[in-house]
Amino acid sequence: EVQLVESGGGLVQPGGSLRLSCAASGFTFSSHWMTWVRQAPGKGLEWVANINQDGSDKFYVDSVKGRFTISRDNAKKSVFLQMNSLTAEDTAVYYCARGVYGGNSDLFNYWGQGTLVTVSS
Amino acid sequence: DIVLTQSPDSLAVSLGERATISCKSSQSIFYSSNKKNYLAWYQQKPGQPPKLLISWASTRESGVPDRFSGSGSGTDFTLTINSLQAEDVAVYYCQHFYSIPLTFGGGTKVEIK
């Protein structure tokens, strides 16, 4: 059974940093692109970033470029999202997701339960 | 960037009746090389992650009830829920997977009238 479990969320002050983790199991992690999607409270879904199988290709939504970094550790079957210079607009539930077909443009059939990031003083 | 505009923002439908949700894309998401529309539909219930319902605009995922159907091509797409059930109360999102950046529609909340 495919499982994605996010961790690392919490309350952080504006300008601060946080590192999210997503632990994967139930599939060959090193064969799949991985993605982060976020959802602000009461709002819609926003694709944040994705990373290819060996970590050599990464893509970001414009609003996080230069502040967020996606990475992965295939040995630990985990994907990470380092978030720096956080603002209130980054407050959201962050979901880890796995795509159906692979590639940087994909749809998602496996999602974690999400981890809440709150940016507030 | 491709903008997906969903309408309505919310709708209330009686049990057993039909719900229809529109998703309009700012540009065509149809690839002529493989004749596929790069559009997916998701259902999200409160406190849960999204669930993939439909891929390629009209292909139902395994286990999704056949009262859910997707249609459309190019820039105009529709999700139809026939004979609405109580368990269908949720927010529904469209998403394109045509190119980066991936984007989602704003969501449509479906409630029981």
Side-chain angles (χ1 to χ4, degrees), chain A residues 35 37 39 43-47 50 59-62 95 100-101 104-109 111-113, chain B residues 1 40 42 44 47-50 52 54-56 61 93 95-102 104-106:
Chain A
T35 296
V37 174
Q39 185 170 35
K43 302 297 184 182
L45 300 165
E46 181 180 40
W47 169 80
N50 58 12
F59 296 89
Y60 301 91
V61 68
D62 281 351
Y95 294 103
V100 175
Y101 298 106
N104 60 8
S105 300
D106 209 345
L107 63 167
F108 308 105
N109 57 349
W111 299 70
Q113 288 299 311
Chain B
D1 298 2
Y42 298 85
Q44 188 179 32
Q48 295 183 20
L52 178 63
I54 287 172
S55 59
W56 307 114
E61 293 300 296
Y93 295 94
Q95 178 226 329
H96 83 81
F97 49 106
Y98 185 87
S99 61
I100 291 290
L102 306 174
F104 294 83

Side-chain angles (χ1 to χ4, degrees), chain A residues 66-114:
Chain A
R67 300 188 301 121
F68 289 13
T69 301
I70 189 171
S71 62
R72 66 190 294 160
D73 184 332
N74 285 342
K76 295 182 177 178
K77 297 183 182 179
S78 294
V79 61
F80 309 100
L81 189 67
Q82 176 67 43
M83 305 185 296
N84 299 330
S85 303
L86 286 161
T87 73
E89 286 66 45
D90 297 315
T91 294
V93 172
Y94 284 73
Y95 294 103
C96 171
R98 196 201 85 174
V100 175
Y101 298 106
N104 60 8
S105 300
D106 209 345
L107 63 167
F108 308 105
N109 57 349
Y110 291 106
W111 299 70
Q113 288 299 311

Side-chain angles (χ1 to χ4, degrees), chain A residues 39 95 113, chain B residues 43-49 87-91 109-110:
Chain A
Q39 185 170 35
Y95 294 103
Q113 288 299 311
Chain B
Q43 174 193 65
Q44 188 179 32
K45 296 181 178 180
Q48 295 183 20
E87 60 264 33
D88 300 334
V89 169
V91 180
K109 186 174 185 179
V110 174

Side-chain angles (χ1 to χ4, degrees), chain B residues 60-108:
Chain B
R60 228 177 0 258
E61 293 300 296
S62 175
V64 174
D66 60 7
R67 62 180 180 273
F68 290 92
S69 64
S71 62
S73 183
T75 61
D76 292 346
F77 302 91
T78 301
L79 175 68
T80 301
I81 311 172
N82 285 308
S83 189
L84 189 80
Q85 304 297 302
E87 60 264 33
D88 300 334
V89 169
V91 180
Y92 293 85
Y93 295 94
C94 56
Q95 178 226 329
H96 83 81
F97 49 106
Y98 185 87
S99 61
I100 291 290
L102 306 174
T103 57
F104 294 83
T108 296

Side-chain angles (χ1 to χ4, degrees), chain B residues 19-50:
Chain B
T20 302
I21 300 168
S22 170
C23 176
K24 294 186 184 295
S25 176
S26 61
Q27 68 182 71
S28 176
I29 51 176
F30 176 78
Y31 253 121
S32 55
S33 58
N34 60 6
K35 293 184 171 42
K36 286 181 179 285
N37 288 284
Y38 283 60
L39 187 97
W41 287 98
Y42 298 85
Q43 174 193 65
Q44 188 179 32
K45 296 181 178 180
Q48 295 183 20

